[in-house]
Amino acid sequence: MLPEGETPSCSTNTEDAPASDKTKLGTCEVCACKNAKYCCPRCEVKTCSLNCNKIHKLEVECSGIRDKAKFIPINKFTNLDLSSDYRLLEEITRVVESSKKGRTSLGYDFKKGLLRLQQEALKRHITLKYLPKNFVRHKNNTTYFNFKSQVIEWHVDWVFVNCENLKISEKVPENLRLSKILDKYLDKQDDEALQEKLQYYQAADLPGIRILLKAELKSGKKFYELDSTYTLKECLKNRVIIEYPTIHLVLKDQASFYDIVDSDDEEDSKAELQKQIKSGQEVINKIIKKSESDDSLYESLRNLLFINEYSDEDQGSDDETH
């Protein structure tokens, strides 16, 4: 296991060494000259010195760090392995608990203004959801609510599908029409590289392009078709947006590859959602109304959880008396 052209200098021959000098680890697996003193925690290679240890790490690209999740057969499982597994579970528990504590403030690094932004979106019938703070999409989100103009400045990702999925990100005021926003990309560009990429879209112009909004929280890859005469605010109404909208621009002759949500299916899903919201709110209001006293709170919980008035033990005792 030595690098090519390198030969170990053996000062001691293990075959001639006395039995007292031999160790339980056996001979060094690198130089094969001396008794091994060390065992690699990761790959269990036995070495006799620091030099041999470095050689083994270079040859097999070993980090020397023990793999805590490595499979160990039951016949080789020791108390040391049991203790190691226990410590690993404790460490996992600490990480989970700390993440739960992080979620007490809604868990998503709600900076000043994000909650207000979510509320303003809801006023516009837009369901805005945030991802955890470590997600790239959350870090890239620059959407904010302009208190002075009372306008949401949306971070928008434009994906030009027929330009090898070229993605351009920008801030867009909600009161601008899509046609006006896209005009700057359909006109001649100063950047020659960008001009070359967008030439097909410029040739097709707006009538030859379909504007598709990615549909969130739906099975499969589905899209809503947007009308270029509408403002961004109107296009996002009654939609679920995760962090910010992603809008795909596709040439009409290639839009058949996209699964576009049908208007009838959309109306059915809206009606079902409104029904669920209404029924859920009714249940909440009913429980709140009945929770003025401890007895009424118990009754509401009992009805909600379908608990019988008597327990199984009480029923059994009643059956015996009868």
Side-chain angles (χ1 to χ4, degrees), residues 176-182 206-207 209 211 225-232 234-235:
L176 287 184
R177 295 186 184 277
L178 294 187
S179 56
K180 187 174 181 180
I181 300 168
L182 293 173
L206 201 56
I209 300 171
I211 308 170
E225 185 164 12
L226 306 181
D227 190 334
S228 61
T229 61
Y230 286 7
T231 63
L232 184 60
E234 293 170 328
C235 291

Side-chain angles (χ1 to χ4, degrees), residues 263-312:
S263 57
D264 294 335
D265 296 338
E266 192 177 342
E267 291 300 325
D268 293 341
S269 62
K270 282 182 188 176
E272 184 64 26
L273 181 62
Q274 290 297 329
K275 185 179 178 181
Q276 290 176 2
I277 293 173
K278 185 178 179 182
S279 60
Q281 191 62 42
E282 287 175 354
V283 172
I284 293 171
N285 292 335
K286 189 176 180 181
I287 291 176
I288 292 173
K289 188 176 180 181
K290 288 188 176 183
S291 63
E292 295 175 356
S293 65
D294 291 339
D295 293 339
S296 62
L297 178 60
Y298 170 76
E299 283 294 318
S300 62
L301 292 174
R302 180 177 64 79
N303 293 332
L304 181 63
L305 299 174
F306 302 99
I307 301 174
N308 292 329
E309 188 175 359
Y310 300 101
S311 65
D312 293 340

Side-chain angles (χ1 to χ4, degrees), residues 112-113 116-117 120 144-151:
K112 187 178 180 181
R116 177 63 186 275
L117 173 62
E120 290 296 331
Y144 73 97
F145 177 67
N146 191 320
F147 288 89
K148 187 175 181 180
S149 62
Q150 294 293 298
V151 171

Side-chain angles (χ1 to χ4, degrees), residues 109-209:
D109 187 27
F110 263 72
K111 300 173 185 175
K112 187 178 180 181
L114 283 184
L115 188 58
R116 177 63 186 275
L117 173 62
Q118 198 174 47
Q119 293 170 345
E120 290 296 331
L122 194 60
K123 289 179 183 178
R124 294 156 171 79
H125 303 280
I126 302 170
T127 304
L128 177 61
K129 294 181 178 292
Y130 297 117
L131 294 171
K133 61 181 181 180
N134 292 328
F135 279 57
V136 174
R137 190 173 180 84
H138 179 80
K139 292 178 180 179
N140 292 340
N141 189 7
T142 56
T143 303
Y144 73 97
F145 177 67
N146 191 320
F147 288 89
K148 187 175 181 180
S149 62
Q150 294 293 298
V151 171
I152 296 178
E153 301 272 349
W154 286 100
H155 174 112
V156 179
D157 273 356
W158 303 101
V159 181
F160 294 84
V161 179
N162 302 106
C163 293
E164 299 179 352
N165 288 324
L166 171 68
K167 184 169 73 173
I168 299 177
S169 302
E170 66 168 330
K171 281 185 184 177
V172 179
E174 63 179 349
N175 50 11
L176 287 184
R177 295 186 184 277
L178 294 187
S179 56
K180 187 174 181 180
I181 300 168
L182 293 173
D183 276 346
K184 61 177 173 287
Y185 299 116
L186 301 179
D187 292 338
K188 190 173 181 179
Q189 305 294 313
D190 295 331
D191 187 343
E192 293 183 3
L194 184 60
Q195 169 64 29
E196 185 178 354
K197 291 178 179 178
L198 295 176
Q199 59 181 332
Y200 296 109
Y201 286 90
Q202 293 169 358
D205 207 6
L206 201 56
I209 300 171

Side-chain angles (χ1 to χ4, degrees), residues 241-260:
I241 302 298
I242 298 179
E243 293 291 347
Y244 52 83
T246 300
I247 300 176
H248 291 237
L249 303 170
V250 192
L251 297 178
K252 276 192 174 180
D253 57 349
Q254 298 190 28
S256 57
F257 297 104
Y258 280 76
D259 187 1
I260 299 174

